[in-house]
Amino acid sequence: MASRPSRATLSKRMDDMVRTIRDDIVSGKLNVGDFLPSERELGKVYCISNKSVRQCLDALVSEGLIEKIPKVGNRIAGVSDGNSVTIRFGCHQTTIEEADLGTLISKFHKLYPRIRVQPMMLEHYVSIRQSLESGIMDVVTVNIPNFNEMIEHDALHLLEDQRPSGDIYPYLNKAFTHEGRQSVQPFLFSPVVLCYNRKHFQESQLHEPDSSWTWDDLKQAAAKLSVPSERYGFYFFLLSCNRWPVFLLQSGMRLPPEDEPIRLYGSPWMEALRLCRDTLLSQTNLPFFYEEADAEKLFLQQKVSMIMTTYFGLNELRKADFEYDIAPVPAFENPKTLLVSIGLGINAKSEQKEASQTFIDFMTSYQAQLSIRQRTLSIPALKPAAEWMGPETMYRPIRYPMHRDIVPTYRMYTDLNVTFEMLVTIINEMKLYWSGLESEQAACAKIDVALEELRRKKRQEA
């Protein structure tokens, strides 16, 4: 006879069941009218008794997510009240886990039963500006590149004004403010950080990373941590514009003003781009994968000892069965890191602006932001929630509060005096150089020409 799970294990399994079904409904994997598997099948999937399954289903019924059909089963519920208002919420699939979105929307529905939130999944290549212009969505998630793209295309009129909150970190409000007008309410944020496997460091008799580390320190540690045909010492997704610009930021150089020529060869930027390549490719095998999330997947499998990631990415490590921690990214010339942030904006074309604002106010309230702090590894934008200290219900890196101490190192890609389109252009031209198929001089010459062309086009459009 199988032994009964402990109370903590049972609670975790039940929470997993509720959370998974809730997230599947929010993400659209389960649609209105779909039936859930039988109670017996759910019990097998989550390794819990039928009684526990029924308790989980009762919780979902109380949230209005499912309805019990006698002698038939449990069906995904729709909106039965004709007086209800529906707001369409455009967000990325990753936001569901990063913010525990299913839980937040369920809490919102309980507080505001006449406002229903219909999430609409966005693809990462979709332009937020074009999504707003289409009028399909009422509320959208907006990151810093999205926001700056709208500035560049003179499209901020597509977003309703937001009232700055004094409890939100000021640098986040600033990131979504242009010419004195805040158009997006900050929701989540993260600096780019270093994440490492503590066991691997102990086995290799290495001191754990700290704020004094340089990239040379990292390369030396990576060489000792690397095990041929078993694991890499260090990895990050080289083509991610949320990773490699850290090296440019640390160079201390900005792109020259428009009235000055661009000459990258021999500049601090070229030194930074060379360091970026050498740091990753100095290992025995070339660690090339296809997606940014591959870094966290490799780390979870203990196939890499150190990764460059974000607090958002740490959510991918929730199932890790080993201890890991975080540290500031190593320094080059200047100890700087990239700030990544997600905000919420209201479509100026929305016919449900009042309900949309109610939703945003809830999502940035202390109740919702504290839920993010306690149930995820993301950092909420609301300072009192982000800095909450209390009993933890999940594994959290020892240095999780580090984000408060490294605020002076936060920078955005706009501090480089470049547009996001320019970053994409640089990375496209660097591929051949990083692959060893083009010289530094040739790569720099191509980048110079491409960036000057982008500037010329911008002047013509102005």
Side-chain angles (χ1 to χ4, degrees):
M1 181 177 177
S3 60
R4 292 184 179 181
S6 67
R7 180 173 298 180
T9 300
L10 176 60
S11 178
K12 184 180 183 304
R13 291 174 182 175
M14 292 175 68
D15 184 66
D16 285 346
M17 174 180 160
V18 172
R19 185 171 183 161
T20 300
I21 294 175
R22 189 190 285 137
D23 288 352
D24 285 348
I25 294 172
V26 168
S27 67
K29 290 182 181 179
L30 293 172
N31 299 307
V32 173
D34 289 348
F35 279 88
L36 295 176
S38 68
E39 293 180 2
R40 183 184 296 274
E41 290 173 340
L42 288 170
K44 290 180 179 179
V45 170
Y46 295 98
C47 301
I48 56 179
S49 67
N50 288 350
K51 179 181 178 181
S52 296
V53 168
R54 285 191 288 273
Q55 290 177 1
C56 293
L57 295 174
D58 287 342
L60 293 167
V61 170
S62 70
E63 295 176 11
L65 295 175
I66 67 172
E67 55 186 350
K68 292 191 174 185
I69 309 300
K71 299 182 180 181
V72 179
N74 298 281
R75 184 172 64 186
I76 309 304
V79 179
S80 58
D81 191 339
N83 295 321
S84 296
V85 170
T86 298
I87 56 176
R88 296 157 299 180
F89 176 35
C91 62
H92 295 289
Q93 182 76 35
T94 53
T95 310
I96 293 176
E97 184 173 8
E98 291 167 355
D100 191 20
L101 204 55
T103 297
L104 296 184
I105 291 177
S106 294
K107 288 181 176 181
F108 178 77
H109 286 164
K110 280 187 176 181
L111 286 174
Y112 303 96
R114 301 219 176 253
I115 305 177
R116 310 303 295 180
V117 179
Q118 178 188 345
M120 302 177 69
M121 296 299 107
L122 297 170
E123 297 293 341
H124 284 283
Y125 57 80
V126 172
S127 165
I128 296 298
R129 174 173 55 89
Q130 293 173 345
S131 298
L132 291 168
E133 287 174 340
S134 70
I136 295 175
M137 287 163 245
D138 300 296
V139 178
V140 291
T141 53
V142 182
N143 61 27
I144 292 175
N146 298 150
F147 182 73
N148 284 292
E149 181 207 7
M150 296 184 72
I151 293 175
E152 293 159 18
H153 289 85
D154 195 24
L156 284 183
H157 64 278
L158 296 172
L159 290 168
E160 289 288 296
D161 286 356
Q162 288 293 313
R163 183 176 65 255
S165 168
D167 284 335
I168 285 178
Y169 288 102
Y171 49 85
L172 298 180
N173 285 328
K174 183 179 178 182
F176 293 112
T177 298
H178 180 65
E179 295 182 346
R181 177 191 170 207
Q182 184 168 326
S183 307
V184 175
Q185 199 67 271
F187 181 46
L188 307 169
F189 77 99
S190 174
V192 174
V193 297
L194 185 70
C195 179
Y196 61 94
N197 186 312
R198 299 191 71 195
K199 181 182 177 182
H200 290 177
F201 270 76
Q202 292 164 4
E203 291 174 344
S204 301
Q205 298 182 329
L206 289 168
H207 294 299
E208 296 186 16
D210 57 37
S211 58
S212 71
W213 261 35
T214 66
W215 289 105
D216 282 340
D217 292 327
L218 180 140
K219 285 193 284 186
Q220 291 174 20
K224 293 180 180 179
L225 291 162
S226 179
V227 178
S229 302
E230 184 175 326
R231 71 172 185 243
Y232 300 126
F234 173 64
Y235 177 70
F236 71 94
F237 185 54
L238 186 58
L239 303 184
S240 170
C241 285
N242 278 337
R243 301 291 184 271
W244 68 268
V246 165
F247 291 87
L248 295 188
L249 289 169
Q250 291 188 356
S251 75
M253 172 183 160
R254 286 169 52 88
L255 201 67
E258 290 213 12
D259 58 350
E260 296 182 16
I262 299 173
R263 297 289 184 270
L264 295 191
Y265 186 64
S267 72
W269 270 19
M270 190 61 242
E271 186 179 352
L273 292 169
R274 185 189 312 123
L275 175 64
C276 177
R277 178 199 65 182
D278 293 347
T279 299
L280 188 60
L281 304 185
S282 61
Q283 301 174 92
T284 305
N285 297 315
L286 300 183
F288 282 124
F289 294 87
Y290 298 106
E291 297 177 348
E292 186 173 278
D294 284 330
E296 286 75 25
K297 292 175 183 175
L298 287 170
F299 189 81
L300 189 60
Q301 298 168 21
Q302 301 195 64
K303 292 295 184 181
V304 61
S305 298
M306 298 181 289
I307 58 173
M308 188 155 56
T309 185
T310 63
Y311 281 71
F312 299 136
L314 297 182
N315 289 294
E316 296 288 332
L317 309 180
R318 290 170 61 94
K319 295 182 179 179
D321 57 0
F322 57 90
E323 285 192 2
Y324 65 89
D325 209 345
I326 57 175
V329 289
F332 168 33
E333 291 291 339
N334 303 281
K336 300 290 185 289
T337 190
L338 184 68
L339 174 66
V340 182
S341 183
I342 300 171
L344 302 172
I346 296 176
N347 192 340
K349 294 183 178 182
S350 170
E351 296 180 357
Q352 309 295 345
K353 292 179 184 176
E354 183 177 350
S356 296
Q357 188 63 59
T358 299
F359 178 58
I360 288 183
D361 290 344
F362 168 77
M363 296 292 271
T364 54
S365 68
Y366 182 74
Q367 175 187 356
Q369 294 274 292
L370 182 61
S371 178
I372 293 171
R373 166 61 181 83
Q374 294 174 336
R375 294 176 59 86
T376 77
L377 289 165
S378 302
I379 313 173
L382 198 73
K383 184 175 181 178
E387 299 185 5
W388 171 88
M389 299 295 287
E392 300 288 0
T393 59
M394 57 187 288
Y395 178 81
R396 200 171 293 272
I398 297 172
R399 298 180 187 173
Y400 178 87
M402 180 187 75
H403 65 87
R404 299 179 300 179
D405 302 322
I406 63 172
V407 171
T409 70
Y410 291 178
R411 295 294 185 274
M412 295 181 287
Y413 73 86
T414 49
D415 291 307
L416 297 168
N417 194 29
V418 298
T419 64
F420 192 75
E421 188 176 10
M422 285 179 171
L423 282 186
V424 174
T425 298
I426 293 171
I427 195 71
N428 285 337
E429 295 295 343
M430 291 306 298
K431 289 177 182 177
L432 286 175
Y433 165 67
W434 280 338
S435 300
L437 299 175
E438 195 167 60
S439 69
E440 287 187 5
Q441 190 168 3
C444 287
K446 286 185 177 181
I447 294 174
D448 292 346
V449 171
L451 296 185
E452 292 285 11
E453 178 63 18
L454 287 176
R455 283 184 164 181
R456 185 187 66 78
K457 287 182 179 180
K458 185 179 178 181
R459 288 194 295 269
Q460 290 179 340
E461 293 172 358

